[in-house]
Amino acid sequence: MNNKIFNLVAVLNEIFREIDIDFDDHMEVMNSIGFLHLFDDLQDYRQPGKIQYKLSDILLLCFLSIIYEGKTTCLGIYDHILVYKSRYEKYGLIKDGQIPSHDTIRRTLMCIDPVEFEEITIGRIHEFLQELRKCAQGTMYCHQSVDGKEARGSGRSEDTKNPQRNINVLNVYSNSDCLCIHSKPVETKTNEIPVAQEILR
């Protein structure tokens, strides 16, 4: 499982509590902006003859379980799907009353490409949050932070054939969404300011 993504989705669970949007409301928002088809283009590496459930449906059910109830284990996700089975059938995520077992969920999560999963997901989560705020009452503010971090262990020591310093990565973090919305490697610490200016533009 891509822990980075699923931890970010867990943040949405807190946001729903803060702005008081219930299950049916956020399902309608997701449906209206095409979020229910978020994973349709994600490559499925499972054996074709053994597939019973669509990859996109399983992943979305995992997301919804985390968002709505903060369930982050395969067994917890299964329990959530079982309780809300009829609602998910309404949106076509459950067919013929059949739901994936916790073992099926676990095996499916082990078969996805984490890099592709992250690339598809981050932007759409941010887009979803912007749409969600339109349903909320009051004024919502956007607060972003820019900071560079050194990725320890990413370089090569001086006694190797090709020594290299650790990689520095400049991150733009949305404090409002609790989401890192952009990361870019920079050659040295002195290059952070122009890179930050470029990203912010």
Side-chain angles (χ1 to χ4, degrees):
M1 179 185 297
N2 190 318
N3 288 329
K4 178 181 177 183
I5 296 292
F6 275 60
N7 288 340
L8 291 174
V9 178
V11 173
L12 295 178
N13 173 257
E14 297 302 319
I15 293 175
F16 282 125
R17 291 180 182 179
E18 289 176 9
I19 61 179
D20 195 27
I21 291 183
D22 65 20
F23 181 89
D24 291 321
D25 285 339
H26 74 64
M27 284 296 291
E28 286 301 325
V29 172
M30 289 181 176
N31 192 37
S32 68
I33 66 171
F35 198 91
L36 298 185
H37 301 285
L38 171 63
F39 302 110
D40 285 359
D41 296 328
L42 189 65
Q43 187 168 351
D44 193 342
Y45 294 96
R46 296 175 296 170
Q47 297 179 16
K50 298 181 179 180
I51 295 176
Q52 182 177 356
Y53 305 96
K54 285 178 60 178
L55 174 65
S56 57
D57 289 346
I58 290 179
L59 291 177
L60 192 60
L61 287 168
C62 290
F63 262 48
L64 295 173
S65 301
I66 299 170
I67 290 173
Y68 189 54
E69 288 191 313
K71 303 291 187 180
T72 57
T73 67
C74 294
L75 187 57
I77 291 169
Y78 168 80
D79 289 339
H80 169 84
I81 297 170
L82 186 62
V83 170
Y84 293 98
K85 181 174 70 171
S86 61
R87 290 186 176 182
Y88 290 136
E89 280 186 305
K90 173 183 174 182
Y91 291 94
L93 300 177
I94 298 295
K95 299 173 180 67
D96 301 323
Q98 300 294 313
I99 67 173
S101 68
H102 66 278
D103 283 333
T104 297
I105 294 169
R106 180 183 59 83
R107 287 194 300 269
T108 301
L109 294 173
M110 291 172 63
C111 291
I112 61 177
D113 181 341
V115 175
E116 183 184 7
F117 182 47
E118 181 174 341
E119 288 176 352
I120 287 176
T121 307
I122 292 292
R124 294 304 301 278
I125 290 179
H126 189 259
E127 175 188 341
F128 170 61
L129 287 172
Q130 304 314 308
E131 292 294 326
L132 187 64
R133 287 198 172 99
K134 295 177 183 178
C135 300
Q137 299 296 321
T139 303
M140 305 295 287
Y141 296 95
C142 179
H143 181 201
Q144 296 179 353
S145 301
V146 181
D147 189 26
K149 293 294 180 186
E150 182 179 282
R152 295 183 179 181
S154 60
R156 303 186 191 95
S157 62
E158 294 293 333
D159 57 356
T160 60
K161 184 176 180 181
N162 297 307
Q164 177 181 315
R165 293 183 58 184
N166 284 337
I167 297 173
N168 289 306
V169 180
L170 188 71
N171 302 298
V172 179
Y173 183 80
S174 171
N175 300 284
S176 307
D177 298 336
C178 300
L179 184 70
C180 182
I181 58 177
H182 195 87
S183 295
K184 185 171 184 177
V186 293
E187 303 221 349
T188 64
K189 292 289 276 185
T190 56
N191 285 337
E192 283 186 3
I193 293 177
V195 173
Q197 292 171 333
E198 176 189 344
I199 292 173
L200 292 174
R201 276 198 298 270

